[in-house]
Amino acid sequence: MSTIRLGDEAPNFTAQSSEGEINFHEWLGDSWGVLFSHPADYTPVCTTELGAVANYKAEFDKRNVKVVALSVDGVESHHGWIKDINETQNTTVNFPIIADEDRKVSELYDMIHPNANDKLTVRSVFIIDPSKKVKLMITYPASTGRNFEELLRVIDSLQLTAYHKVATPANWKAGGDCVVVPAVKTEDIPALFPKGYKEVKPYLRMTPQPDLK
């Protein structure tokens, strides 16, 4: 099993998927990426999740994010399951599902947890930036479906903070005030953040989101 930490390069792999063979790094190109795993095809919670992701495709596209799912079942099984997802979730699956029958990708990303099941993947999520660095990892239990609004919120934060000297506070949403990072001296704030700032404490300075007009 691999041990992946934030900031590590996301392991590359080549695998078959519902949309043909994928070399992960080449497929990502200059995009951000979301890789998320599912315990198995034809499982109820996973069916709702993939339907939700399909419905959020435009939101991911707007953020230059490519999404790819993974299950330990094969391509033929994926295609059959996709028909069920489209029918029951009133959508069209518009992203690839990796067929990881040999569990090589699952083991590369430590997606199989013996405490849960020694054969099936848990609900892992990896957000990867255009330099192929892992920026977020979340693991959900099999009984709990993921909140894709939260993943979009995190992507908004990651993209904002990658290019501006801010961090995002608790429960932040796009458009909300941001925290000026501690490395910025107070006397340098006016030049960097012309919208102004509020000093709550010397270590807690708030400023409007800098990339909004």
Side-chain angles (χ1 to χ4, degrees), residues 19 22 24 27-28 32-36 53-54 56-57 60-61 65-69 94-97 148 155:
E19 297 185 1
I22 285 178
F24 188 48
W27 178 80
L28 282 175
W32 289 70
V34 175
L35 169 64
F36 64 117
V53 171
Y56 277 118
K57 181 68 160 49
F60 286 114
D61 288 346
V65 177
K66 289 184 175 180
V67 180
V68 59
N94 42 27
F95 55 89
I97 306 174
F148 291 96
I155 290 166

Side-chain angles (χ1 to χ4, degrees), residues 41-204:
D41 291 358
Y42 297 103
T43 49
V45 176
C46 306
T47 300
T48 66
E49 288 187 318
L50 268 70
V53 171
N55 288 330
Y56 277 118
K57 181 68 160 49
E59 291 298 321
F60 286 114
D61 288 346
K62 186 166 69 176
R63 293 163 172 82
N64 188 32
V65 177
K66 289 184 175 180
V67 180
V68 59
L70 176 146
S71 168
V72 296
D73 295 301
V75 170
E76 186 175 346
S77 174
H78 287 354
H79 284 305
W81 185 31
I82 286 170
K83 292 178 183 177
D84 280 6
I85 296 166
N86 293 342
E87 175 191 343
T88 63
Q89 306 303 305
N90 299 311
T91 191
T92 300
V93 171
N94 42 27
F95 55 89
I97 306 174
I98 293 166
D100 192 34
E101 291 179 283
D102 58 10
R103 295 170 175 74
K104 285 185 178 178
V105 180
S106 302
E107 292 181 0
L108 195 60
Y109 278 81
D110 194 18
M111 292 173 170
I112 296 178
H113 286 201
N115 289 342
N117 188 303
D118 63 1
K119 294 181 180 178
L120 302 181
T121 53
V122 289
R123 295 188 198 286
S124 298
V125 184
F126 297 85
I127 295 178
I128 298 155
D129 74 7
S131 69
K132 311 300 184 291
K133 296 294 191 296
V134 175
K135 306 301 289 186
L136 172 137
M137 299 180 294
I138 307 177
T139 299
Y140 291 73
S143 58
T144 302
R146 282 163 279 214
N147 184 331
F148 291 96
E149 288 280 354
E150 167 63 4
L151 293 181
L152 288 169
R153 187 191 78 88
V154 172
I155 290 166
D156 286 339
S157 173
L158 288 169
Q159 293 183 342
L160 171 66
T161 58
Y163 306 113
H164 299 275
K165 295 181 179 181
V166 293
T168 55
N171 299 325
W172 176 87
K173 292 182 180 179
D177 286 354
C178 301
V179 175
V180 179
V181 297
V184 174
K185 296 179 180 178
T186 299
E187 57 265 31
D188 295 333
I189 291 179
L192 290 171
F193 303 102
K195 294 180 182 179
Y197 74 100
K198 177 183 179 182
E199 184 176 294
V200 182
K201 291 286 183 181
Y203 60 85
L204 178 56

